[in-house]
PDB file of all heavy atoms in Angstrom:
ATOM      1  N   CYS A   1       5.522 -14.627  -5.953  1.00  0.00           N
ATOM      2  CA  CYS A   1       4.081 -14.910  -6.177  1.00  0.00           C
ATOM      3  C   CYS A   1       3.482 -14.025  -7.380  1.00  0.00           C
ATOM      4  O   CYS A   1       2.378 -14.294  -7.790  1.00  0.00           O
ATOM      5  CB  CYS A   1       3.290 -14.633  -4.912  1.00  0.00           C
ATOM      6  SG  CYS A   1       3.699 -15.675  -3.543  1.00  0.00           S
ATOM      7  N   PHE A   2       4.189 -13.012  -7.797  1.00  0.00           N
ATOM      8  CA  PHE A   2       3.619 -12.070  -8.771  1.00  0.00           C
ATOM      9  C   PHE A   2       3.106 -12.821 -10.024  1.00  0.00           C
ATOM     10  O   PHE A   2       2.005 -12.523 -10.536  1.00  0.00           O
ATOM     11  CB  PHE A   2       4.610 -10.960  -9.127  1.00  0.00           C
ATOM     12  CG  PHE A   2       3.922 -10.019 -10.104  1.00  0.00           C
ATOM     13  CD1 PHE A   2       3.112  -9.006  -9.622  1.00  0.00           C
ATOM     14  CD2 PHE A   2       4.145 -10.061 -11.429  1.00  0.00           C
ATOM     15  CE1 PHE A   2       2.483  -8.098 -10.460  1.00  0.00           C
ATOM     16  CE2 PHE A   2       3.585  -9.181 -12.292  1.00  0.00           C
ATOM     17  CZ  PHE A   2       2.776  -8.247 -11.780  1.00  0.00           C
ATOM     18  N   GLN A   3       3.951 -13.680 -10.595  1.00  0.00           N
ATOM     19  CA  GLN A   3       3.493 -14.387 -11.810  1.00  0.00           C
ATOM     20  C   GLN A   3       2.237 -15.139 -11.596  1.00  0.00           C
ATOM     21  O   GLN A   3       1.321 -15.219 -12.487  1.00  0.00           O
ATOM     22  CB  GLN A   3       4.605 -15.302 -12.332  1.00  0.00           C
ATOM     23  CG  GLN A   3       4.378 -15.832 -13.675  1.00  0.00           C
ATOM     24  CD  GLN A   3       4.157 -14.728 -14.728  1.00  0.00           C
ATOM     25  OE1 GLN A   3       4.933 -13.845 -14.948  1.00  0.00           O
ATOM     26  NE2 GLN A   3       3.046 -14.835 -15.483  1.00  0.00           N
ATOM     27  N   TYR A   4       2.116 -15.903 -10.482  1.00  0.00           N
ATOM     28  CA  TYR A   4       0.895 -16.658 -10.204  1.00  0.00           C
ATOM     29  C   TYR A   4      -0.288 -15.732 -10.005  1.00  0.00           C
ATOM     30  O   TYR A   4      -1.415 -16.034 -10.511  1.00  0.00           O
ATOM     31  CB  TYR A   4       1.096 -17.491  -8.957  1.00  0.00           C
ATOM     32  CG  TYR A   4       2.258 -18.504  -9.106  1.00  0.00           C
ATOM     33  CD1 TYR A   4       3.406 -18.303  -8.374  1.00  0.00           C
ATOM     34  CD2 TYR A   4       2.184 -19.529  -9.866  1.00  0.00           C
ATOM     35  CE1 TYR A   4       4.463 -19.189  -8.465  1.00  0.00           C
ATOM     36  CE2 TYR A   4       3.238 -20.418 -10.093  1.00  0.00           C
ATOM     37  CZ  TYR A   4       4.361 -20.174  -9.374  1.00  0.00           C
ATOM     38  OH  TYR A   4       5.466 -21.075  -9.513  1.00  0.00           O
ATOM     39  N   ILE A   5      -0.122 -14.582  -9.327  1.00  0.00           N
ATOM     40  CA  ILE A   5      -1.220 -13.695  -9.143  1.00  0.00           C
ATOM     41  C   ILE A   5      -1.561 -13.020 -10.457  1.00  0.00           C
ATOM     42  O   ILE A   5      -2.789 -12.854 -10.737  1.00  0.00           O
ATOM     43  CB  ILE A   5      -0.823 -12.607  -8.095  1.00  0.00           C
ATOM     44  CG1 ILE A   5      -0.622 -13.282  -6.749  1.00  0.00           C
ATOM     45  CG2 ILE A   5      -1.868 -11.533  -7.962  1.00  0.00           C
ATOM     46  CD1 ILE A   5      -0.019 -12.354  -5.706  1.00  0.00           C
ATOM     47  N   ALA A   6      -0.584 -12.773 -11.317  1.00  0.00           N
ATOM     48  CA  ALA A   6      -0.877 -12.145 -12.619  1.00  0.00           C
ATOM     49  C   ALA A   6      -1.667 -13.107 -13.504  1.00  0.00           C
ATOM     50  O   ALA A   6      -2.576 -12.713 -14.218  1.00  0.00           O
ATOM     51  CB  ALA A   6       0.391 -11.678 -13.289  1.00  0.00           C
ATOM     52  N   ASP A   7      -1.296 -14.401 -13.495  1.00  0.00           N
ATOM     53  CA  ASP A   7      -2.014 -15.439 -14.189  1.00  0.00           C
ATOM     54  C   ASP A   7      -3.430 -15.530 -13.745  1.00  0.00           C
ATOM     55  O   ASP A   7      -4.334 -15.698 -14.447  1.00  0.00           O
ATOM     56  CB  ASP A   7      -1.370 -16.731 -14.048  1.00  0.00           C
ATOM     57  CG  ASP A   7       0.028 -16.792 -14.817  1.00  0.00           C
ATOM     58  OD1 ASP A   7       0.253 -15.917 -15.647  1.00  0.00           O
ATOM     59  OD2 ASP A   7       0.847 -17.742 -14.545  1.00  0.00           O
ATOM     60  N   LEU A   8      -3.656 -15.387 -12.378  1.00  0.00           N
ATOM     61  CA  LEU A   8      -5.031 -15.569 -11.789  1.00  0.00           C
ATOM     62  C   LEU A   8      -5.914 -14.292 -12.058  1.00  0.00           C
ATOM     63  O   LEU A   8      -6.994 -14.454 -12.451  1.00  0.00           O
ATOM     64  CB  LEU A   8      -4.828 -15.752 -10.324  1.00  0.00           C
ATOM     65  CG  LEU A   8      -6.092 -16.012  -9.533  1.00  0.00           C
ATOM     66  CD1 LEU A   8      -6.721 -17.311  -9.916  1.00  0.00           C
ATOM     67  CD2 LEU A   8      -5.797 -16.001  -8.024  1.00  0.00           C
ATOM     68  N   CYS A   9      -5.236 -13.161 -11.945  1.00  0.00           N
ATOM     69  CA  CYS A   9      -6.061 -11.822 -12.103  1.00  0.00           C
ATOM     70  C   CYS A   9      -6.061 -11.256 -13.425  1.00  0.00           C
ATOM     71  O   CYS A   9      -6.817 -10.376 -13.676  1.00  0.00           O
ATOM     72  CB  CYS A   9      -5.516 -10.855 -11.034  1.00  0.00           C
ATOM     73  SG  CYS A   9      -5.668 -11.380  -9.328  1.00  0.00           S
ATOM     74  N   GLY A  10      -5.110 -11.646 -14.261  1.00  0.00           N
ATOM     75  CA  GLY A  10      -5.089 -10.996 -15.620  1.00  0.00           C
ATOM     76  C   GLY A  10      -4.655  -9.572 -15.568  1.00  0.00           C
ATOM     77  O   GLY A  10      -3.768  -9.165 -14.805  1.00  0.00           O
ATOM     78  N   PRO A  11      -5.336  -8.730 -16.310  1.00  0.00           N
ATOM     79  CA  PRO A  11      -5.029  -7.324 -16.391  1.00  0.00           C
ATOM     80  C   PRO A  11      -5.356  -6.590 -15.100  1.00  0.00           C
ATOM     81  O   PRO A  11      -4.966  -5.413 -14.984  1.00  0.00           O
ATOM     82  CB  PRO A  11      -5.793  -6.773 -17.533  1.00  0.00           C
ATOM     83  CG  PRO A  11      -6.971  -7.692 -17.671  1.00  0.00           C
ATOM     84  CD  PRO A  11      -6.422  -9.052 -17.250  1.00  0.00           C
ATOM     85  N   TYR A  12      -6.039  -7.185 -14.195  1.00  0.00           N
ATOM     86  CA  TYR A  12      -6.422  -6.490 -12.908  1.00  0.00           C
ATOM     87  C   TYR A  12      -5.397  -6.736 -11.854  1.00  0.00           C
ATOM     88  O   TYR A  12      -5.709  -6.452 -10.700  1.00  0.00           O
ATOM     89  CB  TYR A  12      -7.802  -6.952 -12.549  1.00  0.00           C
ATOM     90  CG  TYR A  12      -8.853  -6.611 -13.496  1.00  0.00           C
ATOM     91  CD1 TYR A  12      -9.371  -7.595 -14.361  1.00  0.00           C
ATOM     92  CD2 TYR A  12      -9.393  -5.302 -13.523  1.00  0.00           C
ATOM     93  CE1 TYR A  12     -10.278  -7.204 -15.322  1.00  0.00           C
ATOM     94  CE2 TYR A  12     -10.385  -4.993 -14.447  1.00  0.00           C
ATOM     95  CZ  TYR A  12     -10.830  -5.958 -15.325  1.00  0.00           C
ATOM     96  OH  TYR A  12     -11.800  -5.581 -16.259  1.00  0.00           O
ATOM     97  N   VAL A  13      -4.196  -7.263 -12.171  1.00  0.00           N
ATOM     98  CA  VAL A  13      -3.221  -7.635 -11.106  1.00  0.00           C
ATOM     99  C   VAL A  13      -2.836  -6.371 -10.364  1.00  0.00           C
ATOM    100  O   VAL A  13      -2.614  -6.474  -9.122  1.00  0.00           O
ATOM    101  CB  VAL A  13      -2.034  -8.319 -11.774  1.00  0.00           C
ATOM    102  CG1 VAL A  13      -1.170  -7.453 -12.706  1.00  0.00           C
ATOM    103  CG2 VAL A  13      -1.152  -8.867 -10.680  1.00  0.00           C
ATOM    104  N   PHE A  14      -2.748  -5.253 -10.999  1.00  0.00           N
ATOM    105  CA  PHE A  14      -2.283  -4.075 -10.271  1.00  0.00           C
ATOM    106  C   PHE A  14      -3.424  -3.470  -9.409  1.00  0.00           C
ATOM    107  O   PHE A  14      -3.109  -2.510  -8.599  1.00  0.00           O
ATOM    108  CB  PHE A  14      -1.655  -3.000 -11.197  1.00  0.00           C
ATOM    109  CG  PHE A  14      -0.363  -3.515 -11.774  1.00  0.00           C
ATOM    110  CD1 PHE A  14      -0.342  -3.949 -13.112  1.00  0.00           C
ATOM    111  CD2 PHE A  14       0.748  -3.609 -11.047  1.00  0.00           C
ATOM    112  CE1 PHE A  14       0.873  -4.389 -13.639  1.00  0.00           C
ATOM    113  CE2 PHE A  14       1.968  -4.051 -11.559  1.00  0.00           C
ATOM    114  CZ  PHE A  14       1.981  -4.501 -12.846  1.00  0.00           C
ATOM    115  N   ALA A  15      -4.654  -3.860  -9.569  1.00  0.00           N
ATOM    116  CA  ALA A  15      -5.697  -3.444  -8.702  1.00  0.00           C
ATOM    117  C   ALA A  15      -5.451  -3.850  -7.253  1.00  0.00           C
ATOM    118  O   ALA A  15      -5.818  -3.198  -6.343  1.00  0.00           O
ATOM    119  CB  ALA A  15      -7.072  -3.948  -9.187  1.00  0.00           C
ATOM    120  N   ILE A  16      -4.842  -5.017  -7.137  1.00  0.00           N
ATOM    121  CA  ILE A  16      -4.518  -5.552  -5.784  1.00  0.00           C
ATOM    122  C   ILE A  16      -3.502  -4.561  -5.141  1.00  0.00           C
ATOM    123  O   ILE A  16      -3.599  -4.179  -3.949  1.00  0.00           O
ATOM    124  CB  ILE A  16      -3.881  -6.929  -5.853  1.00  0.00           C
ATOM    125  CG1 ILE A  16      -4.948  -7.916  -6.332  1.00  0.00           C
ATOM    126  CG2 ILE A  16      -3.384  -7.289  -4.506  1.00  0.00           C
ATOM    127  CD1 ILE A  16      -4.409  -9.282  -6.723  1.00  0.00           C
ATOM    128  N   PHE A  17      -2.477  -4.174  -5.963  1.00  0.00           N
ATOM    129  CA  PHE A  17      -1.515  -3.208  -5.445  1.00  0.00           C
ATOM    130  C   PHE A  17      -2.218  -1.795  -5.055  1.00  0.00           C
ATOM    131  O   PHE A  17      -1.873  -1.220  -4.047  1.00  0.00           O
ATOM    132  CB  PHE A  17      -0.401  -2.958  -6.444  1.00  0.00           C
ATOM    133  CG  PHE A  17       0.513  -4.118  -6.542  1.00  0.00           C
ATOM    134  CD1 PHE A  17       0.367  -5.026  -7.656  1.00  0.00           C
ATOM    135  CD2 PHE A  17       1.625  -4.328  -5.715  1.00  0.00           C
ATOM    136  CE1 PHE A  17       1.206  -6.119  -7.702  1.00  0.00           C
ATOM    137  CE2 PHE A  17       2.425  -5.365  -5.736  1.00  0.00           C
ATOM    138  CZ  PHE A  17       2.259  -6.291  -6.771  1.00  0.00           C
ATOM    139  N   ALA A  18      -3.088  -1.436  -5.935  1.00  0.00           N
ATOM    140  CA  ALA A  18      -3.833  -0.111  -5.714  1.00  0.00           C
ATOM    141  C   ALA A  18      -4.627  -0.263  -4.342  1.00  0.00           C
ATOM    142  O   ALA A  18      -4.564   0.734  -3.574  1.00  0.00           O
ATOM    143  CB  ALA A  18      -4.753   0.174  -6.840  1.00  0.00           C
ATOM    144  N   ALA A  19      -5.301  -1.367  -4.120  1.00  0.00           N
ATOM    145  CA  ALA A  19      -6.045  -1.505  -2.848  1.00  0.00           C
ATOM    146  C   ALA A  19      -5.109  -1.517  -1.641  1.00  0.00           C
ATOM    147  O   ALA A  19      -5.375  -0.856  -0.634  1.00  0.00           O
ATOM    148  CB  ALA A  19      -6.882  -2.847  -2.947  1.00  0.00           C
ATOM    149  N   LEU A  20      -3.987  -2.190  -1.769  1.00  0.00           N
ATOM    150  CA  LEU A  20      -3.072  -2.168  -0.652  1.00  0.00           C
ATOM    151  C   LEU A  20      -2.388  -0.812  -0.457  1.00  0.00           C
ATOM    152  O   LEU A  20      -2.240  -0.375   0.654  1.00  0.00           O
ATOM    153  CB  LEU A  20      -1.921  -3.206  -0.872  1.00  0.00           C
ATOM    154  CG  LEU A  20      -2.375  -4.671  -0.789  1.00  0.00           C
ATOM    155  CD1 LEU A  20      -1.243  -5.573  -1.256  1.00  0.00           C
ATOM    156  CD2 LEU A  20      -2.769  -4.988   0.620  1.00  0.00           C
ATOM    157  N   LEU A  21      -2.084  -0.116  -1.528  1.00  0.00           N
ATOM    158  CA  LEU A  21      -1.562   1.240  -1.393  1.00  0.00           C
ATOM    159  C   LEU A  21      -2.550   2.229  -0.799  1.00  0.00           C
ATOM    160  O   LEU A  21      -2.181   3.041   0.037  1.00  0.00           O
ATOM    161  CB  LEU A  21      -1.154   1.750  -2.744  1.00  0.00           C
ATOM    162  CG  LEU A  21       0.148   1.194  -3.302  1.00  0.00           C
ATOM    163  CD1 LEU A  21       0.305   1.436  -4.799  1.00  0.00           C
ATOM    164  CD2 LEU A  21       1.293   1.705  -2.524  1.00  0.00           C
ATOM    165  N   LEU A  22      -3.910   2.027  -1.051  1.00  0.00           N
ATOM    166  CA  LEU A  22      -4.893   2.805  -0.356  1.00  0.00           C
ATOM    167  C   LEU A  22      -4.911   2.557   1.097  1.00  0.00           C
ATOM    168  O   LEU A  22      -4.997   3.496   1.929  1.00  0.00           O
ATOM    169  CB  LEU A  22      -6.309   2.557  -1.036  1.00  0.00           C
ATOM    170  CG  LEU A  22      -7.414   3.323  -0.411  1.00  0.00           C
ATOM    171  CD1 LEU A  22      -7.221   4.853  -0.509  1.00  0.00           C
ATOM    172  CD2 LEU A  22      -8.777   2.888  -0.918  1.00  0.00           C
ATOM    173  N   LEU A  23      -4.822   1.292   1.512  1.00  0.00           N
ATOM    174  CA  LEU A  23      -4.780   0.987   2.897  1.00  0.00           C
ATOM    175  C   LEU A  23      -3.499   1.597   3.616  1.00  0.00           C
ATOM    176  O   LEU A  23      -3.615   2.117   4.697  1.00  0.00           O
ATOM    177  CB  LEU A  23      -4.819  -0.570   3.121  1.00  0.00           C
ATOM    178  CG  LEU A  23      -6.148  -1.226   2.780  1.00  0.00           C
ATOM    179  CD1 LEU A  23      -5.971  -2.721   2.901  1.00  0.00           C
ATOM    180  CD2 LEU A  23      -7.262  -0.758   3.775  1.00  0.00           C
ATOM    181  N   PHE A  24      -2.350   1.476   2.960  1.00  0.00           N
ATOM    182  CA  PHE A  24      -1.105   2.043   3.511  1.00  0.00           C
ATOM    183  C   PHE A  24      -1.241   3.527   3.562  1.00  0.00           C
ATOM    184  O   PHE A  24      -0.760   4.118   4.612  1.00  0.00           O
ATOM    185  CB  PHE A  24       0.034   1.620   2.585  1.00  0.00           C
ATOM    186  CG  PHE A  24       0.305   0.133   2.438  1.00  0.00           C
ATOM    187  CD1 PHE A  24       0.922  -0.299   1.328  1.00  0.00           C
ATOM    188  CD2 PHE A  24      -0.041  -0.724   3.476  1.00  0.00           C
ATOM    189  CE1 PHE A  24       1.201  -1.717   1.231  1.00  0.00           C
ATOM    190  CE2 PHE A  24       0.208  -2.086   3.363  1.00  0.00           C
ATOM    191  CZ  PHE A  24       0.796  -2.552   2.169  1.00  0.00           C
ATOM    192  N   PHE A  25      -1.878   4.092   2.580  1.00  0.00           N
ATOM    193  CA  PHE A  25      -2.021   5.621   2.673  1.00  0.00           C
ATOM    194  C   PHE A  25      -2.834   6.032   3.816  1.00  0.00           C
ATOM    195  O   PHE A  25      -2.549   6.888   4.572  1.00  0.00           O
ATOM    196  CB  PHE A  25      -2.586   6.164   1.350  1.00  0.00           C
ATOM    197  CG  PHE A  25      -2.885   7.638   1.392  1.00  0.00           C
ATOM    198  CD1 PHE A  25      -1.877   8.473   1.004  1.00  0.00           C
ATOM    199  CD2 PHE A  25      -4.056   8.133   1.787  1.00  0.00           C
ATOM    200  CE1 PHE A  25      -2.002   9.838   1.028  1.00  0.00           C
ATOM    201  CE2 PHE A  25      -4.264   9.477   1.806  1.00  0.00           C
ATOM    202  CZ  PHE A  25      -3.266  10.413   1.487  1.00  0.00           C
ATOM    203  N   LEU A  26      -4.009   5.294   3.996  1.00  0.00           N
ATOM    204  CA  LEU A  26      -4.846   5.671   5.073  1.00  0.00           C
ATOM    205  C   LEU A  26      -4.166   5.442   6.506  1.00  0.00           C
ATOM    206  O   LEU A  26      -4.259   6.259   7.361  1.00  0.00           O
ATOM    207  CB  LEU A  26      -6.155   4.871   5.017  1.00  0.00           C
ATOM    208  CG  LEU A  26      -7.098   5.205   3.849  1.00  0.00           C
ATOM    209  CD1 LEU A  26      -8.233   4.280   3.736  1.00  0.00           C
ATOM    210  CD2 LEU A  26      -7.609   6.608   3.973  1.00  0.00           C
ATOM    211  N   PHE A  27      -3.466   4.308   6.602  1.00  0.00           N
ATOM    212  CA  PHE A  27      -2.766   4.053   7.835  1.00  0.00           C
ATOM    213  C   PHE A  27      -1.783   5.162   8.114  1.00  0.00           C
ATOM    214  O   PHE A  27      -1.655   5.710   9.222  1.00  0.00           O
ATOM    215  CB  PHE A  27      -2.022   2.695   7.757  1.00  0.00           C
ATOM    216  CG  PHE A  27      -1.222   2.413   9.000  1.00  0.00           C
ATOM    217  CD1 PHE A  27      -1.774   1.903  10.169  1.00  0.00           C
ATOM    218  CD2 PHE A  27       0.192   2.632   8.952  1.00  0.00           C
ATOM    219  CE1 PHE A  27      -0.977   1.705  11.271  1.00  0.00           C
ATOM    220  CE2 PHE A  27       0.972   2.440  10.018  1.00  0.00           C
ATOM    221  CZ  PHE A  27       0.346   1.936  11.215  1.00  0.00           C
ATOM    222  N   ALA A  28      -0.954   5.464   7.154  1.00  0.00           N
ATOM    223  CA  ALA A  28       0.091   6.539   7.269  1.00  0.00           C
ATOM    224  C   ALA A  28      -0.610   7.945   7.621  1.00  0.00           C
ATOM    225  O   ALA A  28      -0.045   8.644   8.398  1.00  0.00           O
ATOM    226  CB  ALA A  28       0.931   6.645   6.013  1.00  0.00           C
ATOM    227  N   TYR A  29      -1.639   8.240   6.941  1.00  0.00           N
ATOM    228  CA  TYR A  29      -2.318   9.496   7.180  1.00  0.00           C
ATOM    229  C   TYR A  29      -2.796   9.648   8.549  1.00  0.00           C
ATOM    230  O   TYR A  29      -2.618  10.653   9.191  1.00  0.00           O
ATOM    231  CB  TYR A  29      -3.516   9.666   6.190  1.00  0.00           C
ATOM    232  CG  TYR A  29      -4.104  10.995   6.318  1.00  0.00           C
ATOM    233  CD1 TYR A  29      -3.639  12.088   5.701  1.00  0.00           C
ATOM    234  CD2 TYR A  29      -5.332  11.127   6.971  1.00  0.00           C
ATOM    235  CE1 TYR A  29      -4.232  13.335   5.772  1.00  0.00           C
ATOM    236  CE2 TYR A  29      -5.962  12.337   7.076  1.00  0.00           C
ATOM    237  CZ  TYR A  29      -5.381  13.468   6.496  1.00  0.00           C
ATOM    238  OH  TYR A  29      -5.989  14.670   6.585  1.00  0.00           O
ATOM    239  N   PHE A  30      -3.369   8.570   9.146  1.00  0.00           N
ATOM    240  CA  PHE A  30      -3.942   8.588  10.501  1.00  0.00           C
ATOM    241  C   PHE A  30      -2.994   8.254  11.595  1.00  0.00           C
ATOM    242  O   PHE A  30      -3.195   8.617  12.773  1.00  0.00           O
ATOM    243  CB  PHE A  30      -5.193   7.799  10.520  1.00  0.00           C
ATOM    244  CG  PHE A  30      -6.333   8.354   9.738  1.00  0.00           C
ATOM    245  CD1 PHE A  30      -6.769   7.707   8.589  1.00  0.00           C
ATOM    246  CD2 PHE A  30      -7.003   9.526  10.140  1.00  0.00           C
ATOM    247  CE1 PHE A  30      -7.844   8.211   7.836  1.00  0.00           C
ATOM    248  CE2 PHE A  30      -8.072  10.046   9.403  1.00  0.00           C
ATOM    249  CZ  PHE A  30      -8.478   9.379   8.278  1.00  0.00           C
ATOM    250  N   LYS A  31      -1.971   7.479  11.264  1.00  0.00           N
ATOM    251  CA  LYS A  31      -1.129   6.939  12.424  1.00  0.00           C
ATOM    252  C   LYS A  31       0.332   7.411  12.366  1.00  0.00           C
ATOM    253  O   LYS A  31       0.932   7.345  13.457  1.00  0.00           O
ATOM    254  CB  LYS A  31      -1.160   5.389  12.330  1.00  0.00           C
ATOM    255  CG  LYS A  31      -2.498   4.800  12.650  1.00  0.00           C
ATOM    256  CD  LYS A  31      -2.940   5.021  14.088  1.00  0.00           C
ATOM    257  CE  LYS A  31      -4.326   4.332  14.303  1.00  0.00           C
ATOM    258  NZ  LYS A  31      -4.762   4.625  15.648  1.00  0.00           N
ATOM    259  N   VAL A  32       0.869   7.711  11.267  1.00  0.00           N
ATOM    260  CA  VAL A  32       2.303   8.099  11.194  1.00  0.00           C
ATOM    261  C   VAL A  32       2.447   9.610  11.488  1.00  0.00           C
ATOM    262  O   VAL A  32       1.955  10.337  10.675  1.00  0.00           O
ATOM    263  CB  VAL A  32       2.878   7.665   9.844  1.00  0.00           C
ATOM    264  CG1 VAL A  32       4.346   8.078   9.761  1.00  0.00           C
ATOM    265  CG2 VAL A  32       2.772   6.191   9.663  1.00  0.00           C
ATOM    266  N   PRO A  33       3.237   9.933  12.472  1.00  0.00           N
ATOM    267  CA  PRO A  33       3.498  11.402  12.747  1.00  0.00           C
ATOM    268  C   PRO A  33       4.558  11.982  11.842  1.00  0.00           C
ATOM    269  O   PRO A  33       5.406  11.189  11.343  1.00  0.00           O
ATOM    270  CB  PRO A  33       3.955  11.398  14.275  1.00  0.00           C
ATOM    271  CG  PRO A  33       4.577  10.072  14.390  1.00  0.00           C
ATOM    272  CD  PRO A  33       3.890   9.085  13.472  1.00  0.00           C
ATOM    273  N   GLU A  34       4.579  13.277  11.757  1.00  0.00           N
ATOM    274  CA  GLU A  34       5.799  13.913  11.079  1.00  0.00           C
ATOM    275  C   GLU A  34       6.913  13.921  12.035  1.00  0.00           C
ATOM    276  O   GLU A  34       6.814  14.324  13.250  1.00  0.00           O
ATOM    277  CB  GLU A  34       5.443  15.336  10.704  1.00  0.00           C
ATOM    278  CG  GLU A  34       6.514  16.154  10.082  1.00  0.00           C
ATOM    279  CD  GLU A  34       7.072  15.519   8.893  1.00  0.00           C
ATOM    280  OE1 GLU A  34       6.359  15.521   7.853  1.00  0.00           O
ATOM    281  OE2 GLU A  34       8.260  14.981   8.877  1.00  0.00           O
ATOM    282  N   THR A  35       8.059  13.511  11.641  1.00  0.00           N
ATOM    283  CA  THR A  35       9.238  13.448  12.484  1.00  0.00           C
ATOM    284  C   THR A  35      10.247  14.496  12.183  1.00  0.00           C
ATOM    285  O   THR A  35      11.279  14.565  12.864  1.00  0.00           O
ATOM    286  CB  THR A  35       9.898  12.000  12.453  1.00  0.00           C
ATOM    287  OG1 THR A  35      10.241  11.784  11.128  1.00  0.00           O
ATOM    288  CG2 THR A  35       8.951  10.957  12.947  1.00  0.00           C
ATOM    289  N   LYS A  36      10.001  15.306  11.146  1.00  0.00           N
ATOM    290  CA  LYS A  36      10.980  16.233  10.707  1.00  0.00           C
ATOM    291  C   LYS A  36      11.267  17.298  11.830  1.00  0.00           C
ATOM    292  O   LYS A  36      10.369  17.928  12.374  1.00  0.00           O
ATOM    293  CB  LYS A  36      10.474  17.023   9.506  1.00  0.00           C
ATOM    294  CG  LYS A  36      11.289  18.163   9.010  1.00  0.00           C
ATOM    295  CD  LYS A  36      10.619  18.878   7.849  1.00  0.00           C
ATOM    296  CE  LYS A  36      11.115  20.255   7.704  1.00  0.00           C
ATOM    297  NZ  LYS A  36      10.370  21.053   6.835  1.00  0.00           N
ATOM    298  N   GLY A  37      12.542  17.430  12.202  1.00  0.00           N
ATOM    299  CA  GLY A  37      12.894  18.449  13.158  1.00  0.00           C
ATOM    300  C   GLY A  37      12.507  18.149  14.583  1.00  0.00           C
ATOM    301  O   GLY A  37      12.521  19.010  15.443  1.00  0.00           O
ATOM    302  N   LYS A  38      12.083  16.925  14.897  1.00  0.00           N
ATOM    303  CA  LYS A  38      11.644  16.622  16.259  1.00  0.00           C
ATOM    304  C   LYS A  38      12.564  15.660  16.854  1.00  0.00           C
ATOM    305  O   LYS A  38      13.129  14.721  16.209  1.00  0.00           O
ATOM    306  CB  LYS A  38      10.220  15.957  16.117  1.00  0.00           C
ATOM    307  CG  LYS A  38       9.114  16.935  15.721  1.00  0.00           C
ATOM    308  CD  LYS A  38       7.777  16.301  15.803  1.00  0.00           C
ATOM    309  CE  LYS A  38       6.739  17.244  15.314  1.00  0.00           C
ATOM    310  NZ  LYS A  38       5.381  16.664  15.217  1.00  0.00           N
ATOM    311  N   SER A  39      12.796  15.810  18.196  1.00  0.00           N
ATOM    312  CA  SER A  39      13.638  14.844  18.916  1.00  0.00           C
ATOM    313  C   SER A  39      12.806  13.544  19.201  1.00  0.00           C
ATOM    314  O   SER A  39      11.583  13.528  19.051  1.00  0.00           O
ATOM    315  CB  SER A  39      14.075  15.447  20.119  1.00  0.00           C
ATOM    316  OG  SER A  39      12.957  15.649  21.098  1.00  0.00           O
ATOM    317  N   PHE A  40      13.542  12.489  19.653  1.00  0.00           N
ATOM    318  CA  PHE A  40      12.836  11.356  19.997  1.00  0.00           C
ATOM    319  C   PHE A  40      11.799  11.564  21.060  1.00  0.00           C
ATOM    320  O   PHE A  40      10.629  11.026  21.036  1.00  0.00           O
ATOM    321  CB  PHE A  40      13.840  10.164  20.480  1.00  0.00           C
ATOM    322  CG  PHE A  40      13.135   9.052  21.047  1.00  0.00           C
ATOM    323  CD1 PHE A  40      12.400   8.123  20.320  1.00  0.00           C
ATOM    324  CD2 PHE A  40      13.089   8.870  22.530  1.00  0.00           C
ATOM    325  CE1 PHE A  40      11.776   7.086  20.901  1.00  0.00           C
ATOM    326  CE2 PHE A  40      12.400   7.865  23.064  1.00  0.00           C
ATOM    327  CZ  PHE A  40      11.739   6.949  22.271  1.00  0.00           C
TER     328      PHE A  40
END
């Protein structure tokens, strides 16, 4: 889908990725625990 999205959004195509990355960061920050050195 990237080419179609790039044609639709033009130079702002990576703003979609930035928005999704912000959501992923917030989710990971609040929901993903540190597993280093921990048992199941």
Side-chain angles (χ1 to χ4, degrees):
C1 297
F2 183 80
Q3 187 60 51
Y4 301 109
I5 296 169
D7 291 344
L8 183 67
C9 297
Y12 297 99
V13 66
F14 292 107
I16 296 169
F17 289 97
L20 289 171
L21 285 163
L22 178 61
L23 291 174
F24 298 153
F25 178 86
L26 293 172
F27 175 81
Y29 183 80
F30 289 111
K31 297 291 184 183
V32 176
E34 176 59 70
T35 59
K36 175 184 158 189
K38 294 183 181 174
S39 68
F40 168 74

